[in-house]
Amino acid sequence: MVKKIWMSGAIIFIGVWFLCSCERQNTTLTNKIHVGVAYYNQSDTFLNEMVACFREKLDSLKDKGYDITMTIRSASGSQRTQDDQVKELIDAGCNVLCVNLVDRTDPSEIIDIAKENDVPVIFFNREPVEEDIMQWDKLYYVGADARQSGVMQGELAVAIIKTNNMIDRNKDGKIQYVVLEGEQGHQDAIIRTESAVDTLKNNGVELEKISYGIANWSRAQAQNRMVQIISKYQNKIELVLANNDDMALGAIDAYKKLNFTETDFPVFFGIDGTDAGLAAVLDKTLSGTVYNDKEGQAAAMAKLAIRAASKDETKDDKYVYLPYSKVTVDNASDFLDKPNTSYN
Ligand code: BGC
Ligand code: CA
């Protein structure tokens, strides 16, 4: 009798041990996730912050039992370089790719090689055309709606113009403005400008466009361009709408460089809520910005990447757009310490 009990106990023990070890083997098999990240340029402030955020997100998932590794490459603005980097990432064993294209109209090499090797691709921030995304069911896009960011920037400007009559400095009833634009052909450049300007007009603000500059998202280029514009128009400019924070900060740099007194500064608006952008909103040099939710985008990418790499059968949407939020001096500090978006 005692022997019998002992025997069955041993059998149960062996059975449980066997089951556990099978499960362990299974988890290590399906949980091995090697993410290859390729982004267009290491000198882009928003992308650097976003990729850092994505890395943190993936690191935090290691605690949840995922075996994740990540390899990052940046392409210095060359699509050819990026195509080669993607090949290297696949050769190195990446089983999912996150790609921020250099040329968003030219993803075909990347799609072909990914397809050949059955490696899913999550494009982010620089949106390929729909036709390309539809080429294969393992292609995704994570980003945000450009129009919404422009509308919000316009609304922030309307609110300040309507409550502060010092902005129309020459008191002609019109707001003389300059736009600083991102790269031509980028979905966030032209659409942000158009929707910000339309929002101001639709809200009854009379506008007069003084000039514009294409500064390719860059603070230094925006400063140079703005120095030229100021030299021509002096203190006529009352509003600067920039397609991103770095260019708004570059415009402020230009006024400082030319030793303008702050009372002759126009009001400046950006988009992104980068660390430097939020700091400038808090010290009131930047009147407002629109938060480009890198934490939300990173969480969405992590979720898709894990599912795609572990060949989870769940059918995910091919497109994920995270909403923007308006940022003023009243709420900027909430965004500065924004925690990572939780994974579910
Ligand atoms: C951001 C810019 C960034 C660009 C790069 C935009 O969504 O607002 O700051 O330079 O993406 O693709
Ligand atoms: Ca005016």
Side-chain angles (χ1 to χ4, degrees):
M1 178 67 178
V2 172
K3 200 175 168 193
K4 235 184 191 168
I5 294 175
W6 188 88
M7 279 287 283
S8 47
I11 288 168
I12 290 172
F13 173 78
I14 291 170
V16 168
W17 177 81
F18 182 73
L19 276 177
C20 286
S21 64
C22 279
E23 199 181 15
R24 214 175 315 133
Q25 240 178 16
N26 257 338
T27 32
T28 40
L29 253 186
T30 47
N31 278 0
K32 249 199 178 336
I33 291 154
H34 189 175
V35 187
V37 178
Y39 72 111
Y40 89 108
N41 204 324
Q42 60 280 15
S43 64
D44 187 288
T45 308
F46 175 74
L47 258 310
N48 281 335
E49 292 183 9
M50 159 147 208
V51 170
C53 182
F54 183 50
R55 177 198 282 282
E56 259 178 52
K57 179 86 243 174
L58 290 182
D59 281 344
S60 74
L61 293 174
K62 288 181 183 167
D63 303 341
K64 298 202 172 168
Y66 289 101
D67 178 2
I68 304 184
T69 42
M70 182 184 189
T71 309
I72 306 174
R73 293 287 175 266
S74 62
S76 309
S78 155
Q79 189 57 60
R80 170 92 52 98
T81 302
Q82 187 170 66
D83 294 347
D84 292 342
Q85 288 173 336
V86 163
K87 284 178 201 134
E88 284 160 21
L89 288 168
I90 292 178
D91 288 345
C94 290
N95 54 0
V96 59
L97 294 169
C98 295
V99 178
N100 172 245
L101 287 163
V102 177
D103 179 350
R104 69 186 192 93
T105 64
D106 191 13
S108 45
E109 284 236 7
I110 291 177
I111 294 176
D112 289 347
I113 185 166
K115 224 168 145 177
E116 255 168 54
N117 291 275
D118 195 28
V119 178
V121 185
I122 302 159
F123 292 103
F124 66 101
N125 169 268
R126 300 162 74 90
E127 186 171 345
V129 295
E130 199 183 346
E131 209 181 305
D132 285 325
I133 291 277
M134 291 306 165
Q135 279 191 42
W136 185 35
D137 63 344
K138 292 183 185 168
L139 302 176
Y140 303 90
Y141 177 70
V142 173
D145 171 19
R147 186 164 306 282
Q148 184 189 34
S149 56
V151 168
M152 287 184 171
Q153 186 184 56
E155 286 170 355
L156 286 166
V158 169
I160 288 186
I161 290 164
K162 291 212 166 162
T163 51
N164 183 347
N165 59 11
M166 299 296 283
I167 292 169
D168 179 13
R169 251 181 290 114
N170 66 351
K171 306 280 174 248
D172 66 347
K174 293 183 202 152
I175 301 298
Q176 279 70 28
Y177 76 102
V178 166
V179 276
L180 290 172
E181 296 192 330
E183 285 165 286
Q184 277 178 309
H186 190 300
Q187 83 279 347
D188 288 339
I190 205 97
I191 298 176
R192 282 180 180 169
T193 305
E194 273 174 13
S195 50
V197 169
D198 287 350
T199 303
L200 279 148
K201 288 184 182 156
N202 295 342
N203 281 279
V205 175
E206 264 208 68
L207 290 174
E208 183 186 347
K209 184 170 178 175
I210 296 261
S211 186
Y212 76 99
I214 293 169
N216 300 310
W217 310 117
S218 144
R219 182 167 181 163
Q221 288 185 40
Q223 177 184 328
N224 286 339
R225 194 65 193 99
M226 203 62 204
V227 164
Q228 294 167 353
I229 296 172
I230 300 168
S231 315
K232 199 157 169 202
Y233 299 99
Q234 293 300 321
N235 58 4
K236 286 208 176 75
I237 305 157
E238 297 171 338
L239 164 69
V240 176
L241 297 171
N243 285 168
N244 76 347
D245 284 355
D246 258 14
M247 295 190 293
L249 295 169
I252 297 170
D253 294 340
Y255 278 90
K256 288 188 179 154
K257 190 176 171 196
L258 296 171
N259 288 321
F260 270 67
T261 47
E262 291 213 2
T263 44
D264 285 332
F265 276 29
V267 283
F268 305 88
F269 292 89
I271 291 177
D272 278 342
T274 57
D275 292 345
L278 293 172
V281 173
L282 284 170
D283 74 19
K284 299 189 181 165
T285 42
L286 190 59
S287 294
T289 186
V290 178
Y291 199 73
N292 199 350
D293 183 7
K294 61 181 188 302
E295 288 79 11
Q297 291 163 29
M301 269 162 59
K303 186 171 172 174
L304 280 173
I306 287 171
R307 282 210 190 135
S310 49
K311 306 207 183 307
D312 185 316
E313 296 289 302
T314 317
K315 266 271 153 260
D316 283 301
D317 288 341
K318 289 174 83 71
Y319 284 90
V320 183
Y321 293 102
L322 274 294
Y324 285 97
S325 325
K326 290 187 221 175
V327 184
T328 65
V329 68
D330 299 326
N331 65 350
S333 54
D334 302 348
F335 291 91
L336 211 47
D337 314 312
K338 199 166 181 280
N340 269 336
T341 305
S342 68
Y343 173 86
N344 47 38

